[in-house]
Amino acid sequence: MTSLCMVMHSRRKRRDMCPSRASGPRIYLFTLADVAPAPSPSSPERHQVAPRLEQLLHTMHDVPALVLRRGMDVLAWNRGAAALLTDFAVLPAAQRNMIRLTFLDNAFRSLYADWPLVARECVAVLRMEAGRAPHDAALAELVGELTARDPDFRIWWAGHRVRGPRQLTKTYIHPVVGRLTLDVQQFTVDTHPDQLLVAYTAPPRSPSHEAFKRLLQRSRDRTAVTGGASSRDAGTARRAR
């Protein structure tokens, strides 16, 4: 009788340890993504942009630039980045994430001339960051959401490909100015090691450089017509996720 009770207790314990949708959406997504939830939220100060870095960002008038944190959350952006990529200001803070937009936003996804290549790079970066911070709640939620909602992400995530940040060249098909080929430069921030300053550049007088100048001028003209700052102007997400 004692042995039978022990077996029944062991089976019940194993069943209780297996998460399901009924256990709650966060736990279920963590299980799908094979990422552990964080025991406690990260400090909000880690997600803030230093005033000097924000000043630098907004003086880069002719260069699209962003400040990103681990997992590609967008913490701050300038006018050029908004004109090139999307109107980050109108997005909820939880949706201001480059990888999330790449997979789940159709307009953002259509910007890339070679979306599968960019998307695979996103998965590799996310895999690397998840390995560095396995208990980061925001990363775990992002991986869980993408795993549940996008079949391509699910397949590529299972591939366990990892890489670190490096200079990239990306080609965009912009709905306003057409084809743009830009170098993507990434710089770590000494005071906040989990942040990156990302800048998009093109050789002077190249077709892509001239096309971006037209795009930026169009953004300025629209702001002038409305008589004030546009939602597509520079911004900072002080409390991003």
Side-chain angles (χ1 to χ4, degrees):
M1 182 67 176
T2 302
S3 299
L4 177 61
C5 291
M6 291 177 64
V7 170
M8 293 177 65
H9 176 74
S10 176
R11 289 177 178 174
R12 187 180 303 111
K13 184 176 180 182
R14 285 198 297 269
R15 285 199 303 269
D16 292 343
M17 291 174 64
C18 294
S20 66
R21 289 183 186 273
S23 305
R26 290 182 76 250
I27 297 300
Y28 182 72
L29 290 178
F30 291 141
T31 304
L32 286 177
D34 192 26
V35 178
S40 60
S42 54
S43 170
E45 287 76 12
R46 292 173 56 235
H47 304 167
Q48 294 185 1
V49 178
R52 291 182 179 179
L53 179 58
E54 188 176 349
Q55 179 180 345
L56 171 64
L57 182 72
H58 300 328
T59 58
M60 300 169 71
H61 301 297
D62 299 323
V63 176
L66 304 161
V67 177
L68 308 178
R69 73 170 286 267
R70 177 185 296 126
M72 308 297 277
D73 284 330
V74 180
L75 300 183
W77 60 93
N78 63 9
R79 182 198 298 267
L84 173 66
L85 299 171
T86 192
D87 192 351
F88 294 105
V90 302
L91 296 175
Q95 295 181 18
R96 293 178 193 147
N97 178 278
M98 296 292 285
I99 298 175
R100 187 184 190 280
L101 290 168
T102 298
F103 278 94
L104 302 182
D105 185 286
N106 288 333
F108 198 91
R109 182 174 179 145
S110 67
L111 285 173
Y112 295 110
D114 190 345
W115 179 83
L117 176 62
V118 173
R120 286 188 177 95
E121 289 287 336
C122 286
V123 174
V125 169
L126 193 55
R127 171 66 70 180
M128 176 191 68
E129 295 297 347
R132 288 177 174 176
H135 297 293
D136 187 305
L139 279 177
E141 289 181 1
L142 176 61
V143 171
E145 180 183 19
L146 294 176
T147 300
R149 295 182 59 183
D150 190 278
D152 289 322
F153 180 89
R154 195 155 50 242
I155 293 170
W156 295 331
W157 181 258
H160 293 270
R161 181 187 176 197
V162 179
R163 77 155 183 84
R166 68 172 185 268
Q167 178 179 333
L168 300 171
T169 298
K170 292 182 180 178
T171 299
Y172 300 87
I173 308 298
H174 198 277
V176 176
V177 295
R179 195 176 189 88
L180 294 159
T181 300
L182 303 174
D183 294 325
V184 184
Q185 313 282 348
Q186 299 180 352
F187 307 92
T188 56
V189 179
D190 287 344
T191 56
H192 293 75
D194 63 340
Q195 294 182 7
L196 290 173
L197 173 64
V198 181
Y200 301 79
T201 62
R205 294 179 295 280
S206 67
S208 293
H209 183 261
E210 295 303 315
F212 178 72
K213 284 173 59 178
R214 294 195 302 273
L215 179 62
L216 192 56
Q217 185 59 51
R218 184 176 183 273
S219 175
R220 290 169 178 158
D221 292 344
R222 185 170 56 246
T223 301
V225 169
T226 58
S230 156
S231 65
R232 297 185 68 90
D233 286 351
T236 304
R238 291 279 181 194
R239 292 179 178 83
R241 291 213 290 173

